[in-house]
């Protein structure tokens, strides 16, 4: 599957005018190429016609990022993204359209939103999400400095406590990119988060992880050069 949203949200404000993401989906739909999308934007509802048609062929999986249900925290952390309740409505509309939809509780930030894990999973399950995954806060390269500046600005009294817990879950560093640990961390805190997540997923009837679309239906596009094919 081709993944849209693994590096940056494919439904940012400029997409309203440019329609680049929609054009990509149109090409993938025409070729019956499997697709996964991660977004925190309600703009994905604009493309429900394409996604619904792909979903009927098991060609698409959507993950909505739900980081918090706290409106004030959401405004500080994701000021240009859809509000938490708006994301729940998007989950419901995708579900009602027959599009497989799960959620990403990400990033999990110690002492900031980690206490919300169970309430978030309960809310998204009630909205119609079928699966869930989480990612422990990752601070690679420039993100480290950016995040710590943000912490000092909005939550200075919690900043050192948060960073200490981050280091506890990253082998004493601010970040550990070791494959198999970079998403979930290691150590006692990371283990507790993993256990809580597993119990909550089971409790609220969610699947743990992503749903793999059908990869067997791909049809190469027909070249538009005026020459008909022989067969």
């Amino acid at each position: 599957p081709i993944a849209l949203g693994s590096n940056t949200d494919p439904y940012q404000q400029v997409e309203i005018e440019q329609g680049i993401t929609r054009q990509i989906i149109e090409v993938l739909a025409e070729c019956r190429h499997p697709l996964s999308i991660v977004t925190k934007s309600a703009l994905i509802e604009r493309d429900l016609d394409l996604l619904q048609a792909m979903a009927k062929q098991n060609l698409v999986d959507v993950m909505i990022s739900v980081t918090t249900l706290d409106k004030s925290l959401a405004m500080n952390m994701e000021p240009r993204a859809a509000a938490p309740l708006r994301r729940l409505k998007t989950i419901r509309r995708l579900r009602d359209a027959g599009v497989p939809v799960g959620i990403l509780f990400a990033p999990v930030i110690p002492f900031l939103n980690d206490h919300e894990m169970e309430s978030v999973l309960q809310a998204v399950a009630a909205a119609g999400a079928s699966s869930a995954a989480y990612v422990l806060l990752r601070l690679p390269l420039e993100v480290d400095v950016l995040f710590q500046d943000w912490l000092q600005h909005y939550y200075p009294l919690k900043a050192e406590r948060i960073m200490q817990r981050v280091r506890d879950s990253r082998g004493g560093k601010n970040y550990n990119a070791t494959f198999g640990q970079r998403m979930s961390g290691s150590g006692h805190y990371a283990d507790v988060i993993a256990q809580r997540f597993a119990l909550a997923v089971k409790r609220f009837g969610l699947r743990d992880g992503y749903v793999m679309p059908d990869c067997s239906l791909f049809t190469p596009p027909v070249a538009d050069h005026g020459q008909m094919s022989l067969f």
Side-chain angles (χ1 to χ4, degrees):
I2 285 179
L4 296 181
S6 58
N7 288 319
T8 190
D9 201 307
Y11 285 102
Q12 297 189 43
Q13 283 296 106
V14 69
E15 172 62 17
I16 296 174
E17 299 177 1
Q18 297 296 321
I20 296 172
T21 296
R22 183 173 177 87
Q23 293 173 46
I24 293 173
I25 298 174
E26 287 174 342
V27 172
L28 297 178
E30 179 182 352
C31 299
R32 296 193 293 181
H33 193 295
L35 165 69
S36 65
I37 298 175
V38 176
T39 183
K40 56 188 67 176
S41 173
L43 183 56
I44 190 175
E45 295 175 20
R46 178 201 63 187
D47 297 333
L48 267 178
D49 57 330
L50 296 172
L51 299 176
Q52 186 176 40
M54 294 184 75
K56 290 179 179 178
Q57 301 178 78
N58 191 27
L59 290 172
V60 64
D61 178 53
V62 174
M63 298 292 282
I64 301 296
S65 174
V66 181
T67 312
T68 179
L69 299 177
D70 184 332
K71 188 175 180 180
S72 61
L73 176 58
M75 289 179 65
N76 290 339
M77 188 157 50
E78 301 169 329
R80 289 171 294 279
L85 292 181
R86 185 66 184 87
R87 298 186 209 185
L88 295 180
K89 290 181 180 178
T90 296
I91 291 171
R92 187 171 293 109
R93 288 174 180 173
L94 287 165
R95 189 278 313 272
D96 290 346
V99 178
V101 56
I103 72 103
L104 273 175
F105 182 56
V108 178
I109 305 175
F111 306 115
L112 206 57
N113 74 336
D114 55 352
H115 66 282
E116 291 190 74
M117 176 180 285
E118 288 79 6
S119 58
V120 166
L121 293 183
Q122 182 178 20
V124 300
S130 59
S131 62
Y134 77 94
V135 179
L136 194 62
L137 177 67
R138 301 173 61 228
L139 298 175
L141 303 175
E142 295 89 346
V143 178
D144 186 1
V145 176
L146 182 66
F147 177 75
Q148 292 201 58
D149 285 347
W150 178 84
L151 270 184
Q152 290 295 337
H153 180 77
Y154 286 104
Y155 304 100
L157 298 182
K158 291 184 177 182
E160 181 52 40
R161 189 177 173 204
I162 289 172
M163 289 307 302
Q164 183 58 55
R165 186 56 58 85
V166 168
R167 289 188 284 270
D168 289 344
S169 64
R170 298 295 183 183
K173 303 176 182 179
N174 287 356
Y175 184 56
N176 182 352
T178 301
F179 188 78
Q181 294 185 6
R182 59 185 179 181
M183 296 297 192
S184 56
S186 60
H188 177 70
Y189 175 76
D191 290 343
V192 170
I193 291 295
Q195 292 168 19
R196 285 176 53 196
F197 180 80
L199 289 172
V201 163
K202 182 177 180 180
R203 176 182 175 187
F204 300 120
L206 297 164
R207 285 192 303 271
D208 183 355
Y210 301 88
V211 177
M212 178 63 72
D214 190 342
C215 298
S216 67
L217 301 178
F218 175 73
T219 302
V222 178
D224 185 17
H225 49 53
Q227 175 66 49
M228 295 195 305
S229 60
L230 180 60
F231 300 105

